[in-house]
Amino acid sequence: MESWIYISAISLAFSIPGLIFSYYNVILFLSTLRYPRTLAESSPLRGTPFVTILIATFNEKFVIANTLDALMNLDYPRDKLQVVVADDSSDETIEVIDQKVLELNSQGIQSVVSRRKARTGFKSGALNQAVSLLKGDYVLLLDADSTVRPDILTKGLNAFGRDARIGFVSFRVGHYNREQNLTTRLFALQLDQGDTVTKMGAYSIDAPYSFQGGFVLVSMAVLRQVGFWTNQSIVEDAYLSCKIYCAGYRGVYLSDVRIFSEDPATLEVWKKQAARVAQGWANCAIANGRGILSCKKLSLWRRIVLFSTLVGPFQGLSWIVVTFVSGLGLIFGLSAPSNSIFSSPIYLIIVTVPVVSFFASGIYALHVQKIMSPHNLALLPLLSYTSSCMTTAIMIGFLNGVRGKTGFFFRTPKHGVATNGNKQYHRDIRLDRIAIAEGALAVLALTMSIFVLLDGVWALALTLAGFGTLTLKSMNLSKKLKNII
């Protein structure tokens, strides 16, 4: 068998799973058009349930005060509220939390702090440690930087009355530092688009999705049934989502109800966060894959969707394998230019459809939130820049997760609205193994693009050149070298 056949087979083998996931996103985007926009106006839930607000914190002195202050303005009976802070802090955050807890109690809101001697199990360990303190019929899970609006509980609880199968209600991610810089604007737009497609679309067809841990209201009865959180997980929300779906429950997504949080202000932080999520989701897929795919309380297609969602970061590995194998095959004469899949008009059309859907869904996300403007529309082409420059980090995170590697738990730094960046939280943004791999692959891609262009396969040449250029640009090499020197 000729070598080009092997190269084409490898390229197609890695392309097909990524294309399936991409086309599922096209389906989700089309499904958003069916999303019922009156979900937040559901009939009131009977009675006034007791609600616990659970917040996990670790050295969050710049943001936790605002989060706790916002709870004092909730439009909900204070005798029906409890605040539990699962605090692992080792800095001044301890004093800030203790003071705010005293203020909450003085306002008639039962409040308590859960602390432990060691950070065993990361965030999920802290949450499980606090379980014995929870009194609510429902639990609102917040991150340390989550800022709520007064009507969040009323609208969230009302949504539970729509269906007896509802185990959780998730809210749209808001962005209180959206306009800080170009990175925060892009990150906000990416989440806007992601929430619109994967949550509005998934709810519309009753498909599973992973909620985000700082933006969800969960039934306490459901939490007890699924055994709360899985220790040692760096993506406790993905694990909990899987357990809730596999127990036979579903989620509701309220697109028009927001909980505001802080977006990462640098690409370096964003990439590390993306790598952590990819690693955690892959690890979750490996640990729970068999249980998900054999779950009798989910239909077959929902099992496949739930598992496929967790292995979504495979697309980073898929893209790199397909482009680099195809390029190296041309350079070493193992495949003729005419035999490259990148020379096939059919293949190019197939991969173009999800790209068109990507931009269309971005425009629709802006429309849904009523923030359509030339300023925001101009950001859409730059999203492809961020997607390209994060491919290597996502691939490495995914491979680490498949290997079952716990790895380095990177905590996204939070600076608060009153600061422009506290340098002490950036000690872990360094020229590490991921950055070295990024640089090596970027240089290789740029070199390969020249030879591939000479062979006349322009689509592959542009793809490699774009990846290499954008990745190097995103690494901020001058800053890193300065820090080293």
Side-chain angles (χ1 to χ4, degrees):
M1 189 177 295
E2 295 185 44
S3 58
W4 70 268
I5 297 179
Y6 288 107
I7 292 173
S8 296
I10 293 172
S11 298
L12 287 173
F14 278 85
S15 289
I16 290 173
L19 287 172
I20 291 174
F21 188 83
S22 296
Y23 272 84
Y24 174 62
N25 279 331
V26 174
I27 294 172
L28 288 179
F29 167 51
L30 296 175
S31 300
T32 62
L33 304 177
R34 300 172 48 201
Y35 177 81
R37 300 302 301 277
T38 58
L39 278 178
E41 302 170 9
S42 304
S43 301
L45 194 68
R46 291 183 180 180
T48 307
F50 197 98
V51 178
T52 293
I53 301 167
L54 178 57
I55 309 170
T57 61
F58 175 62
N59 294 350
E60 311 280 5
K61 62 182 179 181
F62 297 112
V63 294
I64 188 60
N66 287 334
T67 297
L68 295 174
D69 282 340
L71 302 182
M72 300 182 196
N73 299 318
L74 285 171
D75 184 15
Y76 202 79
R78 296 192 171 186
D79 62 341
K80 294 289 187 177
L81 284 176
Q82 180 197 29
V83 175
V84 176
V85 183
D87 182 37
D88 278 349
S89 298
S90 58
D91 66 357
E92 301 94 316
T93 306
I94 295 173
E95 288 74 25
V96 175
I97 290 174
D98 288 346
Q99 177 60 38
K100 289 299 176 182
V101 165
L102 287 175
E103 292 180 27
L104 285 164
N105 279 302
S106 69
Q107 295 289 323
I109 301 175
Q110 299 179 44
S111 303
V112 64
V113 183
S114 169
R115 291 198 173 100
R116 53 192 185 147
K117 295 181 179 179
R119 293 195 70 223
T120 306
F122 303 119
K123 179 180 177 180
S124 55
L127 293 171
N128 280 327
Q129 174 76 18
V131 161
S132 61
L133 301 174
L134 308 184
K135 299 180 180 180
D137 302 302
Y138 296 89
V139 181
L140 177 64
L141 299 174
L142 299 180
D143 286 335
D145 63 320
S146 300
T147 304
V148 299
R149 294 289 177 83
D151 60 353
I152 190 75
L153 291 180
T154 303
K155 291 184 175 179
L157 290 169
N158 287 347
F160 274 96
R162 298 185 65 87
D163 188 336
R165 291 192 301 135
I166 294 173
F168 67 86
V169 175
S170 59
F171 307 98
R172 183 177 283 275
V173 179
H175 318 275
Y176 63 66
N177 68 324
R178 184 183 199 115
E179 297 300 324
Q180 180 179 340
N181 58 36
L182 179 59
T183 299
T184 56
R185 291 194 291 272
L186 285 169
F187 186 89
L189 180 55
Q190 185 204 49
L191 276 185
D192 293 341
Q193 183 184 36
D195 274 9
T196 298
V197 174
T198 61
K199 295 186 176 67
M200 287 176 65
Y203 177 79
S204 299
I205 59 175
D206 195 11
Y209 66 90
S210 175
F211 59 68
Q212 288 157 282
F215 309 86
V216 64
L217 182 65
V218 189
S219 163
M220 185 63 177
V222 172
L223 279 176
R224 288 197 187 97
Q225 183 177 336
V226 302
F228 300 99
W229 291 270
T230 302
N231 275 328
Q232 301 301 328
S233 167
I234 59 175
V235 285
E236 79 294 331
D237 44 9
Y239 274 82
L240 185 57
S241 300
C242 289
K243 291 164 75 171
I244 291 175
Y245 276 112
C246 288
Y249 296 96
R250 66 169 300 190
V252 171
Y253 175 63
L254 298 184
S255 174
D256 295 331
V257 185
R258 294 171 177 79
I259 295 179
F260 289 80
S261 68
E262 181 176 331
D263 298 328
T266 69
L267 276 174
E268 293 96 327
V269 172
W270 186 353
K271 282 194 285 188
K272 284 186 177 292
Q273 180 176 308
R276 183 196 69 189
V277 171
Q279 177 178 319
W281 280 27
N283 188 267
C284 182
I286 295 299
N288 301 293
R290 182 174 296 180
I292 292 171
L293 294 175
S294 62
C295 177
K296 300 302 182 182
K297 294 186 177 181
L298 287 174
S299 62
L300 177 60
W301 78 269
R302 289 187 178 89
R303 295 180 223 168
I304 295 172
V305 166
L306 184 55
F307 180 76
S308 299
T309 298
L310 294 174
V311 297
F314 171 80
Q315 290 185 99
L317 174 63
S318 169
W319 187 91
I320 286 179
V321 169
V322 171
T323 52
F324 279 76
V325 166
S326 297
L328 290 172
L330 290 171
I331 292 170
F332 289 104
L334 301 175
S335 175
S338 59
N339 292 329
S340 172
I341 61 172
F342 286 89
S343 296
S344 168
I346 295 176
Y347 180 79
L348 294 179
I349 291 172
I350 290 173
V351 299
T352 298
V353 171
V355 173
V356 173
S357 175
F358 171 84
F359 286 104
S361 63
I363 294 172
Y364 186 68
L366 295 174
H367 167 73
V368 165
Q369 297 185 86
K370 299 180 176 63
I371 55 174
M372 180 86 72
S373 68
H375 171 76
N376 286 326
L377 284 171
L379 295 175
L380 283 172
L382 290 177
L383 279 183
S384 60
Y385 159 69
T386 57
S387 299
S388 180
C389 72
M390 291 184 192
T391 304
T392 304
I394 290 172
M395 176 193 70
I396 293 174
F398 176 79
L399 291 174
N400 283 337
V402 169
R403 293 164 54 200
K405 186 176 179 181
T406 302
F408 169 67
F409 180 76
F410 176 73
R411 184 175 62 89
T412 305
K414 304 295 183 181
H415 303 130
V417 294
T419 58
N420 292 319
N422 300 287
K423 303 302 182 183
Q424 70 183 69
Y425 275 177
H426 288 271
R427 294 169 185 164
D428 297 311
I429 311 298
R430 59 188 185 276
L431 193 62
D432 57 8
R433 291 181 179 179
I434 289 181
I436 293 171
E438 282 184 308
L441 285 177
V443 171
L444 178 59
L446 284 171
T447 305
M448 289 170 58
S449 68
I450 298 172
F451 293 98
V452 171
L453 185 60
L454 293 175
D455 281 329
V457 186
W458 60 270
L460 180 55
L462 289 177
T463 300
L464 288 166
F467 165 75
T469 302
L470 297 175
T471 300
L472 288 177
K473 175 65 177 174
S474 73
M475 292 177 65
N476 202 355
L477 292 176
S478 60
K479 179 179 176 181
K480 286 184 168 69
L481 291 174
K482 182 179 179 181
N483 290 338
I484 294 173
I485 296 172

